[in-house]
Amino acid sequence: MTTSTHIPQGFWQNARGELIPEARVKPVDKLEDQLVRSMCQTARGVHEQLGALKALALGEAQAFKALVAQEYGAEKGGTKGNMTLRSFDGSMEMQVAVAEHLSFGPQLAAAKELIDACVTRWSEGANDNIRALIDHAFQVNKEGRIDTQRVLGLRRLDIDDPDWKRAMDAISDAVRVTGSKTYVRFYQIDPGTGQRAAITLDLANV
């Protein structure tokens, strides 16, 4: 929570919190201040509009999902709330995607021990590549956390070994869903080629 500071009339406050007489503030600095404040205020308005658009899109999608369930007795979309809706001519598409945030519980340490034991027990040679893959999977990322997707990717390896399978079970048991975030994406689709182009709402990609 921020608190506003009273600035006496005829003074400007700089970034260090110092009060500067207005007469000592350069005209170019005043113009820069005016420009930044104006554009940030406009940006806040657009931000609020995007929030309203997301709320509207999610509300409309959920209302349509309920309508389909009522009429046909079936859910529209996936079990996690994922949903893809298309215009009748196939030229427009709206996607609702729920991304889960995952972490690992203490079972992960047991899984790593079982995996290390497997690699040590197996013959040398080609398994050097497997060890490199495993070491890479358990490396921490730049945030200092283990990359969940790399670890979960180990379960796709087709290895017929009881200890390896126990390790994969331990990884599955270690998974914790710590939260989720819902995304809404819009696309324009070329009916002839099926090529999808995002209707970009990210300022960096406009």
Side-chain angles (χ1 to χ4, degrees):
M1 184 176 180
T2 58
T3 56
S4 57
T5 303
H6 174 69
I7 301 175
Q9 186 175 0
F11 287 84
W12 286 44
Q13 186 178 41
N14 64 16
R16 295 187 295 273
E18 301 167 342
L19 293 177
I20 308 299
E22 184 175 358
R24 291 177 53 192
V25 179
K26 298 178 181 178
V28 67
D29 290 338
K30 292 182 179 179
L31 286 174
E32 182 178 354
D33 179 85
Q34 182 181 6
L35 169 64
V36 172
R37 290 182 185 278
S38 174
M39 294 311 304
C40 283
Q41 183 176 358
T42 301
R44 279 197 295 265
V46 174
H47 176 77
E48 292 173 358
Q49 291 177 2
L50 288 175
L53 172 62
K54 180 178 180 180
L56 174 64
L58 290 177
E60 293 291 329
Q62 290 302 317
F64 178 72
K65 182 178 181 179
L67 177 65
V68 171
Q70 180 180 356
E71 184 168 351
Y72 297 100
E75 289 288 326
K76 176 77 174 180
T79 56
K80 294 182 180 180
N82 297 332
M83 195 185 327
T84 299
L85 305 174
R86 294 187 180 91
S87 62
F88 189 72
D89 65 357
S91 65
M92 297 181 184
E93 179 177 289
M94 181 175 80
Q95 291 183 2
V96 177
V98 180
E100 292 181 336
H101 303 297
L102 305 177
S103 65
F104 291 111
Q107 296 90 339
L108 188 65
K112 183 63 165 62
E113 289 184 11
L114 287 168
I115 292 172
D116 287 342
C118 285
V119 177
T120 300
R121 177 167 46 84
W122 295 336
S123 60
E124 300 295 330
N127 289 302
D128 289 341
N129 295 328
I130 296 179
R131 179 174 289 281
L133 176 65
I134 291 167
D135 289 342
H136 175 70
F138 282 90
Q139 286 177 355
V140 297
N141 58 23
K142 60 183 180 181
E143 287 81 25
R145 296 189 294 269
I146 290 177
D147 190 312
T148 56
Q149 296 306 315
R150 288 202 304 241
V151 173
L152 293 176
L154 294 175
R155 300 185 301 180
R156 292 195 292 269
L157 297 177
D158 186 16
I159 297 177
D160 187 14
D161 183 287
D163 287 340
W164 178 269
K165 293 183 183 298
R166 286 174 54 207
M168 297 304 102
D169 290 340
I171 288 177
S172 297
D173 292 340
V175 175
R176 303 283 189 270
V177 179
T178 58
S180 64
K181 188 170 184 178
T182 302
Y183 298 89
V184 182
R185 300 182 179 95
F186 303 93
Y187 296 93
Q188 191 81 33
I189 302 174
D190 186 332
T193 64
Q195 187 173 0
R196 180 185 285 104
I199 300 175
T200 303
L201 300 176
D202 182 357
L203 189 63
N205 295 318
V206 173

